[in-house]
Amino acid sequence: DDLLRLLNHLHIQQATLFGYELGACIAMHFAGLHPDRVDRLVITAYPLFYPDAVRQKMLTQRLHEIRSQDPALFLRGRLPAITSRGDDDHLWDAYQKVSLYTYESIIQLIKSSDLSKDYHRNVKPVLYLTGELDDHYPPHLVYHALQIYPSPILVQVPGAKNLVHIDHPEYTAKRITAFIKTCSQPSSPW
């Protein structure tokens, strides 16, 4: 509802949504609920190949890990696994600013939704960016999972882990820009 209120407040009728992991879940959920407000999706690190029961178990485990230790320590340990820039102080500072309450709220929202319905309701163009070295959402699994969409585009970012937009921002930005331009053309198949 917050995203819908924001779009209304800004007088934006249709938006391209970009989402990373939990944000990708929110973007897909929003696109499923409000397809008239979304013109295309750019997603990365989205657990789309996991059945809802498995995804919920993973999120429950993540909540347990966060609650059982200092959230900062949890994030400090997680960064090297998701980005080649895990020692970047700016990235670390940004992650530290996310409150435990916010993180828990997002996870609870995603746990309570049925993402499999969102997958099937979405007919918008989808660009999925995956890191070549992403162990969390391996490119070969993402490729197979994307087949549920009418015309998905999968871009594997060379040398990137899970945070493709952090590991290779220029490469990622070029691919997103090309996708948006292609989808905006009247002759586009999407």
Side-chain angles (χ1 to χ4, degrees), residues 67-78:
R67 289 174 178 156
S68 66
Q69 60 183 305
D70 179 345
L73 290 176
F74 169 78
L75 294 172
R76 180 60 95 179
R78 187 166 155 78

Side-chain angles (χ1 to χ4, degrees), residues 76-164:
R76 180 60 95 179
R78 187 166 155 78
L79 283 179
I82 62 175
T83 178
S84 59
R85 297 178 59 181
D87 60 349
D88 186 316
D89 287 337
H90 297 293
L91 184 61
W92 170 240
D93 290 343
Y95 264 84
Q96 282 187 297
K97 291 178 181 170
V98 178
S99 72
L100 179 58
Y101 172 78
T102 298
Y103 206 74
E104 287 180 341
S105 297
I106 293 169
I107 289 176
Q108 293 297 350
L109 171 72
I110 301 306
K111 279 182 65 179
S112 66
S113 66
D114 184 357
L115 293 181
S116 62
K117 288 181 182 173
D118 297 335
Y119 305 154
H120 298 289
R121 287 190 297 215
N122 180 38
V123 295
K124 303 298 180 182
V126 175
L127 170 63
Y128 192 106
L129 297 159
T130 184
E132 175 186 30
L133 307 174
D134 189 345
D135 290 336
H136 290 86
Y137 307 104
H140 68 282
L141 291 178
V142 171
Y143 170 79
H144 291 294
L146 282 176
Q147 301 313 305
I148 63 175
Y149 298 112
S151 300
I153 298 174
L154 175 65
V155 173
Q156 185 171 300
V157 180
K161 291 185 179 180
N162 187 270
L163 284 168
V164 297

Side-chain angles (χ1 to χ4, degrees), residues 46-63:
Y46 181 52
L48 58 101
F49 50 82
Y50 294 117
D52 282 338
V54 172
R55 179 183 43 78
Q56 288 183 3
K57 184 176 180 180
M58 291 169 59
L59 292 170
T60 299
Q61 176 63 30
R62 186 179 298 176
L63 274 176

